[in-house]
Amino acid sequence: MQTLTVELEDRSYPINIGAGLLQQHSLLQAAVPARDILLVSNTTVAPLYAGAVKSALADRRIVEVILPDGEQHKSLATAGRVFDVLVANRFGRDALVLALGGGVIGDLAGFVAACYQRGVDFVQVPTTLLAQVDSSVGGKTAVNHPGGKNLIGAFYQPREVLTDTEVLGTLPPRELQAGLAEVIKYGMICDLAFFEWLERNIDALRRLDAPSLGYAIFRSCQIKAQIVGRDEREQGERALLNLGHTFAHAIEAATGYVEWLHGEAVGVGLLLAAGLSQRLGTLRTDEVARVESLLKRAGLRTEAPQIGAARAAEFMSIDKKVKSGRVRLVLLKGLGQAHITGEYADAALHDTLRERFGA
Ligand code: NAD
Ligand code: GLY
């Protein structure tokens, strides 16, 4: 098992990563000090892994809320159902919410934990690669609103993240690939050596080779933890974690959030960020080609949907990262050197959007 800490003064917490951690009862026992536990999961994940959690915590009072599977259930209405269960079972401020699932469950359960009685303890057991390398770390919790994704939420850190890499064995390959896009993102943001390691080990990751997975998840969490430790509330540097995301949000919004998984859209977004950086003269053609090749080898799509440059630009302009009417973008000064800027030639952005999304 490898452990790292998200350093946030009195809200610091450990992330434990390893194969088979759910079978080690002492780990969950230590992570979850409360007597009253609300276990939040969904109809896909609970039949696979809730049993392991319940036997590890057999001496506690566990109430389960098993939600329907899907992003459409990450809503205030579903959160309301979870609050109802907490109230009906007379859970107090000493209760703990345990999220067992991917990013949808983690974001929603974290939001509930942040709000219930103004905040109760929260533990994340992430079960998708995307949740293990991204959404379980850093304390962004939210539900969606019909007007947009993640519009209602809070920064609320868990007290621990317990990441068992063995659960990825049941994850559909497409979901694993979507998670790999976020892993590649970390290398592109600030760690060329990690990007190169991924170039050498991407096949092993797709085969679920345990040591390779353990290292990729550890290094991804370490990079995110360091950035969050310096900028928890995204006043500056944390926005680097959105590399590729402004383009990805345009793809997801224009295609109705059903056709593309978030990580798949991020993969194409990474390529657009690289392509625009090349047009602006800060990235070489061969570096863009390396990004494209790695994404393809990860099993990810690299062709953007033909939504049209104008529509893409419109969706990008309603992204959360707009400042004084100008979309700020995360771009590259080299592989492993991302920066946030509103200073770019509009013509270069327009040409990149036309090239990838069509006229
Ligand atoms: P998800 O939670 O929908 O999980 C994907 C699918 O995999 C679901 O069908 C789920 O039931 C299934 N699944 C989960 N674990 C499984 C397992 N071990 N075996 C078999 N099936 C399994 O999607 P996701 O990609 O994990 O998360 C996406 C969500 O995360 C989005 O709502 C996004 O907004 C959010 N997100 C949040 C942050 C953050 O910082 N909080 C960061 C990135 C994404
Ligand atoms: N997923 C981006 C962030 O946590 O800031």
Side-chain angles (χ1 to χ4, degrees):
M1 181 174 92
Q2 302 186 83
T3 301
L4 60 95
T5 305
V6 183
E7 302 283 359
L8 288 167
E9 297 173 352
D10 59 334
R11 286 165 298 109
S12 299
Y13 56 94
I15 304 172
N16 290 313
I17 301 161
L21 299 194
L22 279 181
Q23 307 309 323
Q24 295 183 37
H25 290 185
S26 58
L27 287 176
L28 260 175
Q29 287 270 346
V32 176
R35 192 184 74 88
D36 290 340
I37 295 157
L38 187 80
L39 173 58
V40 183
S41 191
N42 73 17
T43 48
T44 305
V45 178
L48 296 168
Y49 304 112
V53 171
K54 286 190 285 184
S55 35
L57 301 171
D59 57 339
R60 318 295 172 85
R61 176 165 81 118
I62 302 183
V63 174
E64 285 178 84
V65 185
I66 309 303
L67 301 172
D69 193 352
E71 179 78 34
Q72 70 273 31
H73 301 291
K74 194 175 124 179
S75 63
L76 262 183
T78 310
R81 270 185 59 194
V82 183
F83 289 129
D84 291 346
V85 176
L86 283 161
V87 174
N89 286 280
R90 298 176 183 278
F91 274 39
R93 293 199 73 181
D94 55 353
L96 181 147
V97 175
L98 194 155
L100 174 71
V104 167
I105 290 295
D107 279 15
L108 181 136
F111 174 69
V112 167
C115 299
Y116 186 64
Q117 301 211 7
R118 302 192 183 90
V120 295
D121 270 350
F122 171 47
V123 165
Q124 291 254 26
V125 180
T127 63
T128 61
L129 180 60
L130 183 137
Q132 295 187 346
V133 299
D134 191 353
S135 62
S136 66
V137 179
K140 279 189 181 174
T141 74
V143 295
N144 301 326
H145 182 275
K149 266 195 77 172
N150 296 325
L151 287 187
I152 301 165
F155 285 97
Y156 194 68
Q157 303 293 341
R159 59 171 292 125
E160 181 156 337
V161 182
L162 193 70
T163 291
D164 184 345
T165 56
E166 255 173 28
V167 303
L168 301 180
T170 54
L171 194 64
R174 199 177 154 201
E175 297 287 352
L176 184 86
Q177 290 152 204
L180 286 173
E182 301 284 2
V183 175
I184 293 168
K185 174 192 81 176
Y186 290 115
M188 289 173 67
I189 290 173
C190 62
D191 190 349
L192 176 59
F194 183 46
F195 186 89
E196 289 170 342
W197 182 91
L198 288 169
E199 290 181 313
R200 292 191 299 278
N201 291 281
I202 195 74
D203 299 335
L205 291 173
R206 291 188 71 188
R207 281 197 311 273
L208 299 179
D209 171 67
S212 308
L213 267 181
Y215 176 68
I217 294 168
F218 179 82
R219 184 64 191 131
S220 298
C221 289
Q222 198 175 41
I223 290 171
K224 182 159 183 181
Q226 283 163 355
I227 292 175
V228 168
R230 292 190 291 261
D231 180 23
E232 182 184 14
R233 289 184 171 248
E234 203 168 310
Q235 302 301 302
E237 186 187 359
R238 184 165 180 169
L240 289 173
L241 296 171
N242 296 319
L243 177 65
H245 283 59
T246 305
F247 300 108
H249 290 155
I251 293 175
E252 292 178 277
T255 55
Y257 295 98
V258 282
E259 219 177 291
W260 286 71
L261 297 180
H262 174 69
E264 292 174 329
V266 167
V268 170
L270 294 175
L271 196 53
L272 267 111
L276 176 55
S277 304
Q278 185 213 333
R279 261 181 214 280
L280 294 167
T282 58
L283 201 67
R284 297 192 311 266
T285 315
D286 63 293
E287 292 175 308
V288 180
R290 280 173 73 183
V291 172
E292 181 161 9
S293 161
L294 184 55
L295 292 168
K296 280 191 173 143
R297 290 178 56 214
L300 287 156
R301 309 194 210 182
T302 52
E303 297 292 330
Q306 294 305 288
I307 58 176
R311 245 177 115 221
E314 195 182 316
F315 281 115
M316 287 173 69
S317 71
I318 50 175
D319 192 89
K320 290 195 207 81
K321 286 163 287 296
V322 175
K323 206 171 184 179
S324 313
R326 182 132 185 102
V327 181
R328 287 168 62 76
L329 292 172
V330 186
L331 296 174
L332 295 161
K333 288 181 180 164
L335 282 180
Q337 287 178 67
H339 68 122
I340 306 153
T341 182
E343 307 281 313
Y344 50 81
D346 286 335
L349 174 61
H350 183 72
D351 290 347
T352 304
L353 296 181
R354 271 178 74 102
E355 180 191 60
R356 296 282 171 174
F357 291 118

